[in-house]
Amino acid sequence: MAPRTSKALAAWTELNDRQQGLTAIYAIEHEIEAERRQDAARGNFDSAPAAVWRQIDFAHEPSLRELFGLTRLQSQLSKERLGQPGNGATMAALTDRGVITRDTRRTTPSG
């Protein structure tokens, strides 16, 4: 009997090298989870659903880097030398394969 392959592993192996290189998304998600655990350990509990706190912005809308700077993901991709113009197409490919979900929301200045 052949070993069973998980759906996630099958989806991963179908990705090209560039798409697999965008593991920065998962690194950021793990950082956010760790931050939430640390906050909870300090008594700062947040009841926001995961669908809210797991959102990772790929780019600002509108795309005004002078006003908004880089998103956390753009910064991470830049550190990993993956901040390239083709990342939008890569995100679309990851969405098409069900690896990530995408949505649009407007960026507003904080403060």
Side-chain angles (χ1 to χ4, degrees), residues 23-103:
T23 56
I25 296 167
Y26 300 103
I28 291 171
E29 182 182 37
H30 289 205
E31 289 172 8
I32 293 169
E33 289 174 351
E35 292 165 4
R36 290 181 60 79
R37 281 192 303 275
Q38 290 171 354
D39 286 346
R42 291 186 200 105
N44 298 322
F45 296 98
D46 180 0
S47 61
V52 172
W53 60 262
R54 287 181 121 175
Q55 292 179 359
I56 299 170
D57 294 323
F58 170 64
H60 294 295
E61 177 59 40
S63 181
L64 300 171
R65 286 191 178 179
E66 312 80 43
L67 178 60
F68 299 117
L70 298 175
T71 66
R72 191 171 183 172
L73 180 55
Q74 288 170 329
S75 294
Q76 185 68 28
L77 292 173
S78 181
K79 284 183 210 170
E80 296 177 14
R81 299 183 187 264
L82 294 171
Q84 301 171 8
N87 284 344
T90 300
M91 292 297 173
L94 294 174
T95 302
D96 291 345
R97 288 170 175 79
V99 177
I100 63 171
T101 58
R102 286 189 345 179
D103 198 357

Side-chain angles (χ1 to χ4, degrees), residues 3-13:
R4 291 178 31 175
T5 303
S6 73
K7 183 178 177 181
L9 180 58
W12 178 257
T13 58

